[in-house]
Amino acid sequence: MVYGLDIRLGGAIEDGQYGQAGLFSVIGSNRPEDAAQVKDLIFSNVSVSVDFSNGLAAAGTLAGEVNGYAEASNVAVLSGKVTVNPSRACPTGFPPPIPLNHGTRQHKDIALIPLLP
């Protein structure tokens, strides 16, 4: 179990870029034979806060971004919050707009339990 994950990012990033925040900034690979795998994780009492003065931010508990060839299985977020300056948030939505078992992105038994403020 990962308990008390606390990530706080702020300041400026390179113009035209965006930052990713989470336990991993990015999970993915561009080659199927080298697919990224994350499994069997439980998160509790999580706090991820991103407030960049420019650029955009993608934030999550497990990762700021999941792309390419990646598989996450048996991952749960029990409690906590992820906050991003609304004027700097990437429009990805919640839960992440990646359909289960769609294409090369596979997500099995992921429990996303958001807490409302």
Side-chain angles (χ1 to χ4, degrees):
M1 176 180 279
V2 176
Y3 181 85
L5 178 68
D6 187 7
I7 298 171
R8 300 174 202 187
L9 297 176
I13 59 176
E14 188 175 325
D15 284 337
Q17 299 296 311
Y18 70 100
Q20 303 96 342
L23 179 64
F24 302 103
S25 59
V26 178
I27 298 173
S29 172
N30 61 357
R31 299 188 337 241
E33 66 275 7
D34 188 33
Q37 295 183 0
V38 178
K39 57 185 175 179
D40 302 327
L41 281 173
I42 299 172
F43 294 91
S44 181
N45 194 32
V46 172
S47 177
V48 178
S49 176
V50 181
D51 188 5
F52 293 131
S53 60
N54 66 329
L56 295 174
T61 299
L62 179 62
E65 182 177 330
V66 178
N67 63 38
Y69 296 91
E71 179 179 343
S73 60
N74 299 317
V75 176
V77 180
L78 302 179
S79 62
K81 65 182 178 176
V82 175
T83 57
V84 177
N85 178 336
S87 68
R88 299 292 175 203
C90 289
T92 57
F94 188 87
I98 301 170
L100 296 178
N101 298 317
H102 181 271
T104 60
R105 301 174 187 174
Q106 298 178 18
H107 300 269
K108 303 174 187 171
D109 303 316
I110 295 178
L112 298 172
I113 307 168
L115 295 180
L116 300 176

